[in-house]
Amino acid sequence: MRLVDRHIINRTHNFLRVCDELAFKSKNLYNLANYYCRQHFFTFLKKSGFNRAIPRHQR
């Protein structure tokens, strides 16, 4: 189950710029962490070989 909050901020709200900036930084942080995880994963596959990294029944 996912618990989600939704907050709607009008364009005239005082905190719009702050929320927009934080959302932008959050997106970039997520993308950077995802990039590093993917790079590590594919580096591991090259070093160990694809056939040894994933068991035969999962291919």
Side-chain angles (χ1 to χ4, degrees), residues 5 7 9-10 19 31-32 34-37 41 44 47-48 52 55 57:
D5 284 341
H7 301 280
I9 301 173
N10 294 331
C19 290
N31 287 338
L32 183 64
N34 189 28
Y35 171 79
Y36 282 128
C37 288
F41 178 73
F44 170 74
K47 288 180 182 176
S48 66
R52 287 184 276 157
H57 68 277

Side-chain angles (χ1 to χ4, degrees), residues 6-31:
R6 182 176 178 176
H7 301 280
I8 299 173
I9 301 173
N10 294 331
R11 293 187 183 271
T12 58
H13 197 278
N14 294 337
F15 293 129
L16 176 67
R17 178 171 276 146
V18 174
C19 290
D20 187 47
E21 184 179 339
L22 287 174
F24 182 76
K25 288 180 179 182
S26 174
K27 174 195 63 102
N28 287 342
L29 180 62
Y30 172 81
N31 287 338

